Amino acid sequence: MITLITNIKELLQVRNLPIRKVSGKEMNILPTIKNAFLILKDDKIYDFGEMDNLPKIKADKIIDASNKIVLPTWCDSHTHIVYAGNRESEFVDRINGLSYEEIAKKGGGILNSAKKLQNTSEDELYQQASKRIEEIISLGTGAVEIKSGYGLTVEAEIKMLRIIKKLGQNYPIKIKATFLGAHAFPTAFKENKDAYIDLICNEMIPAVAETNLAEFIDVFCETGYFSVEQTERILKAGKKNNLIPKIHVNQFNSIGGVEIGVKYNALSVDHLEVLNINDIEALKNSQAIPVALPSCSYFLSIPYTPARNLIDNGLPLALASDFNPGSSPSGNMNFVVSTACIKMEMTPEEAINAATINGAYAMNLSDSHGSITKGKKANVIITKKIPSYNYLPYAFGSNLIDTVIINGEIISNKN
Ligand code: NIG
Ligand code: FE
């Protein structure tokens, strides 16, 4: 099956030489081809270039993209898409003055979602998560990471990971799984936190490794959640079982979690709304990619990750949605890109790099996703007719996507 896209106003994120991520000043460079063609063969990118150099080719399908922009699909490296129901009552509590942390202390927050999830069947949870996956695909996401962490028992954590695996089998986008048993302390362990760390290290992690249900391990390292010492124990046990660390860190406080993430070679360090100079220095000496979650800052009215500070220090940055019921009930990466430009002083070039190639890096997917490169997955967004790519973040809230193609197949065409 060959699909030829012609007359593309501008083809974005064209990388002839495969790259893994972009950092610092490079983030402001977005290579493009104007008046371009793109050829997709089966599920891969086959060829691209200027229209003047269009080769003679027999295509099964031709799409005219006059006045439209084509770019790789979004790579959303941080979500919690498998959850039961919603938490809109906590949303109203926050409007009425309670903070996210106060709600959590009252047994709301993550524990509220855990109770709901434990009492919901695997089938029902799968159905709820499917709708969210279908929505994010229609919004241009072509690869996504999903975490467990609303189970908080061996059984319920494994249930979540089985659902993530099934989603990956049934949907065409790439789905990566992360074990996040260390998301919150269950009420039963409130007085004996070490026992929960034992449960994670001695039972949950071996069960996850044995069933091969996750590639990554994550910990919510934060005051009132998991301390730096507890985080270290968990990452150590994860590493022993070949789980690659990722970490929720510095959302509300800088407590030394960034250093621990770096020490254990975390692939990504996520949130970073609160950053100090030691955190920046630690990140400079690592391969870990910082991941900012602007929808979470927007929804909780907390500070935005200081993107300029990170990028101006030569660091890379990825953007992700954090889609979850408590701090970001939205998986819309178009909104994420807009908000990064509007609130985090990122340029459109930086934001698009952060949501494509750098998002792919944060999921270990740079070899197959995140750029227009021959041989990579044929995952592209075709926009509606728009004046330039700057219009994507500028016209926030408008759906500017015309067509999403995943593995060479048109998924949604909303005209
Ligand atoms: O990434 N911060 C920890 N975990 C999620 C929120 C989870 C929840 O509130 O349900 C986050 O923001
Ligand atoms: Fe999260």
Side-chain angles (χ1 to χ4, degrees):
M1 166 82 183
I2 292 183
T3 302
L4 168 64
I5 309 175
T6 58
N7 302 314
I8 303 167
K9 184 183 178 98
E10 197 159 3
L11 178 63
L12 310 187
Q13 191 60 302
V14 175
R15 305 279 178 176
N16 291 315
L17 295 175
I19 50 158
R20 300 194 64 219
K21 63 176 182 325
V22 283
S23 310
K25 284 196 174 67
E26 291 167 7
M27 282 194 66
N28 203 24
I29 299 167
L30 182 69
T32 74
I33 302 176
K34 290 195 169 129
N35 194 21
F37 72 86
L38 174 65
I39 300 170
L40 310 175
K41 186 170 178 202
D42 299 325
D43 66 338
K44 301 269 164 56
I45 293 170
Y46 182 72
D47 200 6
F48 51 82
E50 289 173 13
M51 276 306 282
D52 289 348
N53 301 326
L54 178 64
K56 281 213 160 50
I57 188 158
K58 227 177 140 262
D60 300 288
K61 187 168 179 61
I62 298 176
I63 300 174
D64 177 34
S66 296
N67 293 311
K68 298 176 178 181
I69 282 175
V70 174
L71 67 156
T73 50
W74 306 124
C75 294
D76 188 354
S77 68
H78 181 140
T79 79
H80 311 246
I81 280 175
V82 177
Y83 59 84
N86 276 293
R87 302 224 301 267
E88 68 271 29
S89 63
E90 293 180 8
F91 168 60
V92 177
D93 287 345
R94 279 198 302 104
I95 294 169
N96 287 322
L98 287 185
S99 71
Y100 179 80
E101 286 145 308
E102 283 164 345
I103 290 166
K105 276 205 188 104
K106 288 199 330 179
I110 295 166
L111 293 185
N112 180 359
S113 285
K115 203 194 283 166
K116 286 195 172 105
L117 184 130
Q118 288 162 6
N119 294 327
T120 306
S121 74
E122 196 158 331
D123 277 352
E124 172 60 24
L125 285 168
Y126 177 82
Q127 293 308 331
Q128 292 186 18
S130 300
K131 294 216 175 69
R132 297 176 197 125
I133 294 282
E134 285 162 21
E135 185 191 13
I136 64 167
I137 294 173
S138 74
L139 291 167
T141 294
V144 67
E145 178 259 20
I146 310 178
K147 301 172 198 295
S148 69
Y150 293 125
L152 309 184
T153 65
V154 181
E155 198 196 2
E157 284 293 307
I158 296 289
K159 173 165 92 172
M160 287 190 77
L161 291 170
R162 270 200 306 267
I163 294 165
I164 298 169
K165 180 176 179 185
K166 194 168 158 198
L167 291 167
Q169 288 166 338
N170 293 348
Y171 284 94
I173 61 169
K174 184 73 190 168
I175 297 184
K176 292 267 187 156
T178 299
F179 166 63
L180 176 60
H183 201 189
F185 285 96
T187 318
F189 291 88
K190 254 205 166 125
E191 302 309 321
N192 190 3
K193 293 190 167 166
D194 279 346
Y196 188 58
I197 308 294
D198 290 342
L199 184 74
I200 291 176
C201 295
N202 303 335
E203 295 189 40
M204 290 185 185
I205 290 174
V208 171
E210 204 174 287
T211 47
N212 228 340
L213 284 171
E215 176 174 344
F216 307 118
I217 183 165
D218 197 339
V219 177
F220 186 16
C221 180
E222 180 60 61
T223 308
Y225 293 85
F226 293 81
S227 69
V228 171
E229 293 70 32
Q230 290 163 339
T231 300
E232 181 156 19
R233 262 193 74 192
I234 294 164
L235 293 187
K236 212 185 246 174
K239 278 216 131 168
K240 246 193 222 141
N241 286 272
N242 296 320
L243 295 169
I244 299 165
K246 281 163 115 18
I247 188 164
H248 278 72
V249 79
N250 290 37
Q251 183 175 0
F252 303 106
N253 301 284
S254 173
I255 59 171
V258 172
E259 278 101 322
I260 287 301
V262 167
K263 180 171 167 195
Y264 286 87
N265 293 321
L267 177 61
S268 72
V269 287
D270 302 30
H271 274 288
L272 306 175
E273 287 87 344
V274 177
L275 260 187
N276 67 30
I277 184 83
N278 295 336
D279 299 318
I280 298 269
E281 287 310 313
L283 288 168
K284 276 189 189 168
N285 296 314
S286 85
Q287 289 300 309
I289 189 160
V291 179
L293 310 164
S295 314
C296 169
S297 298
Y298 175 83
F299 188 73
L300 294 185
S301 300
I302 61 173
Y304 287 88
T305 303
R308 284 267 56 89
N309 193 357
L310 291 160
I311 296 171
D312 295 345
N313 269 292
L315 291 165
L317 183 63
L319 288 167
S321 75
D322 200 13
F323 196 173
N324 78 76
S327 67
S328 173
S330 160
N332 188 341
M333 285 294 286
N334 307 283
F335 176 79
V336 167
V337 168
S338 276
T339 308
C341 295
I342 296 165
K343 294 290 183 188
M344 294 163 62
E345 297 167 42
M346 289 175 74
T347 63
E349 291 80 3
E350 287 171 338
I352 292 170
N353 274 318
T356 56
I357 190 65
N358 283 1
Y361 178 89
M363 294 186 272
N364 258 346
L365 283 176
S366 301
D367 290 344
S368 53
H369 292 73
S371 65
I372 302 296
T373 303
K374 286 181 194 172
K376 280 199 177 182
K377 284 283 179 192
N379 285 9
V380 296
I381 295 170
I382 305 175
T383 69
K384 292 178 181 159
K385 293 182 178 177
I386 54 174
S388 80
Y389 64 75
N390 294 327
Y391 197 80
L392 287 172
Y394 163 80
F396 78 95
S398 291
N399 185 351
L400 299 173
I401 295 179
D402 175 289
T403 305
V404 178
I405 299 180
I406 305 284
N407 297 336
E409 287 187 24
I410 294 178
I411 297 292
S412 70
N413 196 339
K414 294 185 182 166
N415 259 330

